[in-house]
């Protein structure tokens, strides 16, 4: 017997035509029992469906009525976040900004902000024992990481608070297996309210930048392969007068954005990455030898700035603006945005996001290198163990994951920093064309956390406007169109008993790799000695270093 639920019928009426026809035919007792059982199951399912609808409506009503927070009257919570010039240049304190004023009004909680100068100053607060009630911090900057901060009695796990006091956050982290793993320590503690980015366009913000006006002058397309890139550098030197066509510092060569050419040699990242479930270390792989040989060729032919080992950002920018160089690395905002602003008076100057490169026989394929972050950052807002009102603090921070909190923390105050246009939150001229000449970053900082991070799910509509110039949007599309996400390591946790050894190995190994990279590129060290370089890494404990990271990865995936 079949019952069809008419999905298009808003009244939810059961179509009973099959049932009526079935009544006209005699059935055996066995068949009748079977039909009664099936009918009871279907009626039960309908009842469950109805209860779920009522339950959903009740939850929505409960969420809407959760703020202002009951019992928060007269409560003041302290909140610590490292001071930021974007705020301090405009306001005495973060608590005075339109964002925090609106947040306090919505939740009914008074907030007193503490702003240590830097991560070192924040660590001094931890050592003092005089903890704020809540704090936002990059927990990679805490010795031993977030799990150690919990065992040290600084951070209060959220496990007993989520169900009743942070239902919106719980729903978010349980919606995705990677979110759930990344917000949990090896001991199963939910450590804090994470900054989550769930769209690929939010995971990429920087990459190689090329003088697109020079490409047009030379009749070239945006390079995709390693040979096309080489030819572009030669053309920039010979046809555009570039003294050092490629201007990238040694430190930028180590960053994700600076790895744009390593992928052409089979290396997605210089440090840890994964192939499937196997952890590897880029500087230890055979393919890096060919990448260094290519860079050595550029160095010898004058295509790479010979001062790359000591370049600073001011020199790199100057070289780009003055026609000394045509390829640099940078971000959407402080890179492409600032370059275009700086050169407004030059109508010919233009830049574009260059492709992360592939091998010559891979043209048209996606590159394996790229600048791709993980969705859940190690930056998180935590409640401390000395907080007198942890339930109210949890409610306060959970607001960031509600619909209203999402809009506030991403876009700010409606009617001031954004307006709803055709159903989309749209930044006003106060943000995008600030009358006082502030950049979008500085203009947005007092209104939202989306530019920096907080207890929130970042909205992709933010980046589409924040980096809204055509060159920025095209660069975002180019830089995010890679396979790097398949190779990125999650934010694993090194076990307490291995953390000191891991840090010691990492410091020595990375220092040696960075020193030898410069020597291989300049020719001070012959690449004939590359095998000896790998032997030295083995003697320094590179395989133990990788094994510790592998164990941490395996633990993460088993959570």
């Amino acid at each position: 017997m079949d019952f069809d639920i008419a999905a298009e019928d808003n009244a939810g009426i059961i179509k009973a035509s099959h049932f009526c026809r079935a009544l006209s035919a005699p059935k055996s007792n066995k068949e009748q029992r079977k039909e009664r059982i099936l009918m009871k199951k279907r009626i039960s399912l309908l009842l469950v469906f109805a209860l779920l609808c009522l339950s959903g409506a009740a939850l929505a009503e409960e969420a809407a009525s959760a703020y202002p927070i009951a019992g928060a009257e007269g409560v003041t919570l302290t909140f610590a976040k490292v001071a930021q010039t974007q705020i301090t240049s405009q306001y005495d304190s973060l608590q005075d900004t339109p964002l925090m004023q609106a947040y306090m009004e919505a939740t009914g909680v008074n907030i007193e902000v503490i702003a240590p100068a830097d991560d070192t100053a924040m660590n001094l607060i931890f050592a003092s024992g005089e903890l704020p009630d809540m704090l936002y911090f990059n927990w990679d900057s805490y010795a031993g990481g977030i799990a150690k901060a919990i065992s040290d009695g600084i951070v209060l796990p959220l496990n007993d608070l989520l169900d009743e006091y942070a239902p919106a956050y719980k729903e978010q982290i349980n919606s995705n297996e990677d979110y759930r793993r990344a917000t949990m320590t090896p001991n199963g503690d939910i450590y804090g309210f994470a900054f989550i980015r769930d769209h690929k366009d939010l995971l990429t913000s920087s990459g190689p930048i090329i003088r697109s006006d020079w490409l047009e002058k030379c009749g070239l397309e945006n390079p995709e392969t390693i040979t096309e890139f080489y030819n572009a550098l030669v053309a920039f030197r010979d046809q555009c007068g570039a003294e050092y066509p490629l201007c990238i510092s040694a430190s930028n060569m180590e960053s994700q954005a600076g790895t744009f050419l390593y992928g052409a040699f089979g290396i997605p990242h210089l440090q840890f990455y994964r192939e499937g479930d196997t952890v590897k270390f880029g500087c230890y792989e055979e393919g890096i030898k060919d990448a260094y040989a290519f860079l050595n060729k550029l160095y010898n032919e004058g295509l790479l700035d010979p001062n790359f080992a000591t370049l600073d950002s001011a020199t790199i920018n100057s070289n780009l603006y003055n026609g000394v160089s045509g390829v640099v690395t940078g971000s959407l905002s402080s890179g492409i945005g600032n370059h275009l602003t700086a050169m407004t008076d030059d109508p010919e100057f233009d830049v574009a996001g260059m492709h992360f490169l592939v091998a010559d026989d891979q043209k048209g394929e996606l590159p394996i290198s790229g600048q791709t972050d993980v969705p859940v950052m190690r930056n998180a807002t935590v409640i401390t163990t000395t907080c007198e009102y942890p339930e109210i603090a949890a409610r306060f921070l959970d607001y960031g994951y509600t619909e209203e909190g999402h809009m506030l923390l991403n876009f700010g105050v409606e009617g001031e920093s954004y307006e709803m246009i055709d159903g989309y939150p749209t930044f006003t001229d106060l943000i995008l064309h600030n009358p006082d000449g502030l950049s979008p970053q500085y203009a947005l900082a007092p209104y939202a956390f989306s530019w920096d991070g907080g207890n929130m799910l970042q909205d992709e509509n933010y980046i589409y406007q924040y980096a809204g110039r055509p060159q920025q949007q095209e660069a975002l599309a180019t830089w995010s169109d890679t396979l790097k996400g398949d190779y990125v390591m999650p934010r694993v946790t090194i076990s307490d008993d291995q953390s000191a050894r891991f840090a010691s190995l990492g410091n020595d190994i990375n220092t040696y790799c960075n020193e030898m990279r410069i020597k291989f590129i300049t020719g001070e060290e012959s690449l004939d000695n590359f095998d000896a370089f790998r032997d030295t890494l083995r003697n320094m404990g590179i395989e133990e270093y990788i094994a510790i990271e592998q164990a941490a990865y395996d633990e993460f995936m088993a959570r």
Side-chain angles (χ1 to χ4, degrees):
M1 183 187 304
D2 292 325
F3 283 72
D4 296 328
I5 303 298
E8 70 279 6
D9 188 342
N10 291 331
I13 299 173
I14 300 176
K15 290 182 178 179
S17 58
H18 294 295
F19 175 60
C20 294
R21 285 196 299 271
L23 288 178
S24 62
K27 301 284 175 62
S28 67
N29 290 336
K30 183 177 180 180
E31 289 175 325
Q32 291 177 23
R33 284 196 303 271
K34 182 178 179 181
E35 288 180 354
R36 284 195 297 270
I37 292 172
L38 288 173
M39 184 183 295
K40 289 179 179 179
K41 286 183 178 180
R42 285 163 178 145
I43 291 173
S44 296
L45 286 173
L46 287 172
L47 289 172
V48 169
F49 177 74
L51 288 171
L52 285 174
C53 291
L54 291 172
S55 169
L59 287 173
E61 183 178 351
E62 180 184 351
S65 62
Y67 299 96
I69 301 168
E73 299 84 358
V75 172
T76 296
L77 297 177
T78 53
F79 171 66
K81 185 176 184 180
V82 171
Q84 298 163 302
T85 304
Q86 292 86 342
I87 299 297
T88 58
S89 63
Q90 304 179 66
Y91 289 85
D92 291 337
S93 170
L94 175 64
Q95 70 196 47
D96 299 324
T97 63
L99 166 62
M100 290 307 295
Q101 291 295 310
Y103 202 152
M104 287 188 280
E105 181 179 355
T107 59
V109 180
N110 294 317
I111 296 296
E112 178 184 328
V113 174
I114 301 167
D118 50 30
D119 287 353
T120 300
M122 184 74 88
N123 276 297
L124 290 176
I125 291 177
F126 299 149
S128 73
E130 298 293 326
L131 302 175
D133 296 310
M134 307 173 293
L135 63 98
Y136 178 79
F137 192 55
N138 174 10
W139 292 99
D140 283 340
S141 298
Y142 184 87
I146 187 68
K148 188 68 164 54
I150 292 175
S151 63
D152 286 346
I154 291 173
V155 174
L156 179 71
L158 301 178
N159 302 56
D160 295 335
L161 295 170
L162 288 180
D163 286 343
E164 187 171 355
Y165 301 104
Y169 181 56
K170 179 182 178 182
E171 181 181 357
Q172 288 293 346
I173 62 176
N174 286 336
S175 68
N176 182 292
E177 191 68 12
D178 288 337
Y179 298 173
R180 186 187 62 79
R181 291 188 182 117
T183 52
M184 180 186 298
T185 70
N187 293 330
D189 292 323
I190 305 299
Y191 59 80
F193 292 82
F195 176 46
I196 302 174
R197 300 171 295 177
D198 69 342
H199 192 283
K200 71 179 184 68
D201 287 345
L202 295 169
L203 304 180
T204 297
S205 60
S206 59
I209 299 171
I210 192 166
R211 284 284 298 265
S212 54
D213 56 320
W214 284 6
L215 286 175
E216 184 176 357
K217 178 180 179 180
C218 298
L220 299 174
E221 297 293 328
N222 193 327
E224 294 182 44
T225 70
I226 197 72
T227 296
E228 290 175 352
F229 174 62
Y230 173 80
N231 291 338
L233 296 181
V234 171
F236 287 178
R237 180 192 63 190
D238 297 345
Q239 299 179 44
C240 301
E243 187 176 0
Y244 309 127
L246 174 59
C247 189
I248 179 173
S249 68
S251 59
N252 282 346
M253 288 181 182
E254 302 159 20
S255 71
Q256 287 197 65
T259 64
F260 65 89
L261 62 82
Y262 297 125
F265 301 95
I267 308 296
H269 193 54
L270 287 180
Q271 297 182 332
F272 288 120
Y273 65 92
R274 60 187 175 92
E275 280 190 357
D277 288 323
T278 300
V279 174
K280 296 188 174 184
F281 193 81
C283 290
Y284 189 53
E285 293 297 307
E286 288 282 358
I288 200 65
K289 177 181 179 180
D290 295 331
Y292 291 161
F294 178 76
L295 285 166
N296 174 251
K297 176 182 179 180
L298 299 185
Y299 179 86
N300 289 334
E301 295 182 11
L303 300 174
L304 170 65
D305 192 317
N307 302 308
F308 74 93
T310 57
L311 283 173
D312 57 27
S313 59
T315 303
I316 293 171
N317 290 344
S318 176
N319 285 352
L320 182 69
Y321 302 157
N322 294 315
V324 175
S325 304
V327 178
V328 297
T329 61
S331 70
L332 292 169
S333 178
S334 60
I336 290 178
N338 285 358
H339 297 332
L340 293 171
T341 298
M343 298 299 289
T344 300
D345 293 335
D346 183 346
E348 294 184 358
F349 180 91
D350 203 1
V351 291
M354 194 184 83
H355 294 284
F356 286 83
L357 301 173
V358 298
D360 292 341
D361 61 356
Q362 295 174 328
K363 184 176 175 62
E365 298 180 19
L366 293 179
I368 63 172
S369 61
Q371 188 271 310
T372 303
D373 289 329
V374 292
V376 180
M377 301 296 289
R378 197 55 63 87
N379 300 58
T381 308
V382 303
I383 300 172
T384 67
T385 54
T386 59
C387 179
E388 186 178 354
Y389 304 100
E391 296 86 359
I392 292 177
R395 274 289 189 196
F396 176 82
L397 295 172
D398 193 53
Y399 180 74
Y401 305 91
T402 66
E403 183 176 349
E404 295 81 4
H406 177 85
M407 296 299 293
L408 174 63
L409 270 59
N410 274 284
F411 303 104
V413 178
E414 186 173 5
E416 294 183 35
S417 57
Y418 81 96
E419 295 175 347
M420 295 300 296
I421 299 177
D422 296 330
Y424 290 94
T426 304
F427 287 130
T428 63
D429 284 346
L430 178 70
I431 306 301
L432 299 180
H433 306 286
N434 187 268
D436 296 324
L438 295 176
S439 69
Q441 184 184 84
Y442 273 72
L444 182 61
Y447 282 93
F449 282 154
S450 48
W451 70 278
D452 175 58
N455 52 307
M456 60 186 291
L457 188 74
Q458 195 179 39
D459 193 305
E460 65 270 20
N461 286 309
Y462 139 81
I463 195 64
Y464 297 149
Q465 301 174 77
Y466 181 73
R469 289 177 170 177
Q471 296 95 326
Q472 291 173 310
Q473 288 301 301
E474 290 169 9
L476 178 59
T478 298
W479 291 343
S480 62
D481 195 21
T482 76
L483 297 175
K484 181 63 181 292
D486 295 340
Y487 297 87
V488 172
M489 286 291 295
R491 301 279 180 176
V492 301
T493 304
I494 305 301
S495 62
D496 287 347
D497 61 332
Q498 294 278 8
S499 60
R501 175 63 174 165
F502 184 78
S504 176
L505 286 170
N507 182 65
D508 294 343
I509 287 169
N510 284 299
T511 298
Y512 177 66
C513 286
N514 295 340
E515 291 173 350
M516 291 302 293
R517 182 181 309 111
I518 294 173
K519 291 180 178 181
F520 283 139
I521 292 172
T522 61
E524 181 181 347
E525 185 77 32
S526 172
L527 281 164
D528 291 340
N529 298 326
F530 184 77
D531 289 342
F533 160 72
R534 296 186 80 238
D535 288 340
T536 301
L537 284 176
R538 270 191 290 271
N539 293 334
M540 294 177 72
I542 183 70
E543 292 178 352
E544 179 187 358
Y545 187 49
I546 295 172
I548 294 174
E549 184 80 1
Q550 179 73 61
Y553 173 78
D554 293 341
E555 179 278 319
F556 178 90
M557 297 304 294
R559 291 179 189 173

